[in-house]
Amino acid sequence: MNQTKIVLSYLVLSAVGAALLVVFVFMTPAPTRTMVVLEKIVVPGVFIVCCVFGISFSLRPNWVRPFISKKDNTVKNYTDALQRSFQGHHPDCKTFEKHRMKFQNKTWCAGCLGLLIGCLLSIILMILYVVVPFQQPPTISRLLLFLGLLVIVLVYLEIIRESRHSIIHVLSNAILVLSFFFITTSIVELSGKSVYGFFMILLCILWLDTRIQLSRWHHRRLCSSCLQSCKIYVATIIFGR
């Protein structure tokens, strides 16, 4: 299956998940009981663990690759043969200049830096959500949920734009993870059941993976239209951001 078909498949699955979520919001009755402490801790705990993994992937996108596949060596050998170095998880050519940014004398992948910031902020907010006694009104929960879905759509559109500003890309990816936090907590508040929180975390992982697939697809488009001969994203599939 080529990259375009993969992206379309992910977009369809993401849209179906969002549609089911909207149906749930309008059809579910108000919770008849208050969640016990254990129920309110489990979902945030899983969410925080996912954010920790997200931080590790933003710092080193391919760290899990050697454990599941030998393709990493293929990519490395191909890169070495072309003598094309990488900066901020991207080839050091001008085509991907707006995909990187310098911060504290270090070159960062703009997307990964945004995800890193978003994960850190989401962890802090999730801890506050657990420890601070606060009952969120259903109207606010619904509003935050729909705003979160809107943010996801806007982030997807920002990813596939031809022109890009690195700071905006950092902010959009940070807000993406924060939208996951607001959507997950809103669903937990609206349903009063932790099982729906776990379902939301799975949906958020799907939406994040869709964002990664869109990024790969966009990278390959940029690489194929570039006048240089290396074509690293066309010839190989790597965890670019």
Side-chain angles (χ1 to χ4, degrees):
M1 186 180 294
N2 61 40
Q3 193 69 27
T4 300
K5 290 182 179 179
I6 291 174
V7 168
L8 289 175
S9 299
Y10 270 87
L11 287 174
V12 169
L13 287 174
S14 296
V16 170
L20 291 174
L21 184 59
V22 171
V23 171
F24 168 81
V25 170
F26 284 105
M27 294 188 65
T28 186
T32 57
R33 66 181 182 86
T34 304
M35 295 180 66
V36 299
V37 176
L38 181 61
E39 286 181 311
K40 193 172 180 180
I41 290 177
V42 173
V43 173
V46 174
F47 187 91
I48 289 173
V49 170
C50 291
C51 285
V52 171
F53 273 99
I55 291 172
S56 70
F57 283 116
S58 66
L59 295 173
R60 190 180 176 188
N62 293 329
W63 70 264
V64 75
R65 205 77 177 278
F67 299 101
I68 60 176
S69 171
K70 295 182 179 180
K71 291 181 180 179
D72 188 59
N73 292 330
T74 303
V75 174
K76 182 179 185 302
N77 293 337
Y78 185 82
T79 307
D80 290 343
L82 292 173
Q83 296 181 343
R84 167 65 70 189
S85 62
F86 275 60
Q87 291 184 347
H89 303 162
H90 292 87
D92 61 350
C93 63
K94 190 173 180 61
T95 301
F96 293 96
E97 185 177 8
K98 297 297 184 180
H99 295 243
R100 301 182 295 264
M101 68 176 300
K102 287 191 177 292
F103 179 69
Q104 293 186 345
N105 297 322
K106 181 178 179 180
T107 301
W108 290 80
C109 165
C112 287
L113 180 59
L115 294 175
L116 172 64
I117 294 171
C119 286
L120 290 173
L121 291 176
S122 295
I123 289 174
I124 295 172
L125 289 174
M126 192 60 86
I127 293 173
L128 292 175
Y129 171 74
V130 173
V131 300
V132 176
F134 174 73
Q135 190 68 33
Q136 187 167 279
T139 303
I140 299 299
S141 295
R142 291 188 179 93
L143 177 61
L144 290 176
L145 189 148
F146 285 111
L147 284 177
L149 292 177
L150 177 61
V151 165
I152 293 171
V153 173
L154 294 177
V155 170
Y156 286 175
L157 293 175
E158 190 274 335
I159 288 172
I160 62 177
R161 285 186 60 196
E162 292 296 331
S163 59
R164 174 177 294 181
H165 195 288
S166 57
I167 295 180
I168 293 177
H169 195 53
V170 170
L171 292 175
S172 70
N173 281 274
I175 295 173
L176 175 66
V177 184
L178 290 174
S179 73
F180 295 160
F181 162 77
F182 288 116
I183 291 173
T184 302
T185 54
S186 295
I187 285 295
V188 171
E189 291 294 321
L190 288 170
S191 66
K193 297 179 181 179
S194 58
V195 64
Y196 291 111
F198 293 127
F199 174 70
M200 276 315 309
I201 291 174
L202 291 176
L203 260 183
C204 290
I205 293 173
L206 171 63
W207 290 332
L208 179 60
D209 205 11
T210 301
R211 171 248 178 268
I212 293 172
Q213 296 300 327
L214 278 171
S215 184
R216 290 181 182 176
W217 174 78
H218 182 58
H219 286 170
R220 297 190 71 176
R221 285 184 62 203
L222 292 176
C223 196
S224 61
S225 62
C226 178
L227 297 178
Q228 297 190 48
S229 60
C230 58
K231 307 300 180 188
I232 185 66
Y233 284 107
V234 176
T236 59
I237 299 176
I238 61 176
F239 284 97
R241 293 295 191 270

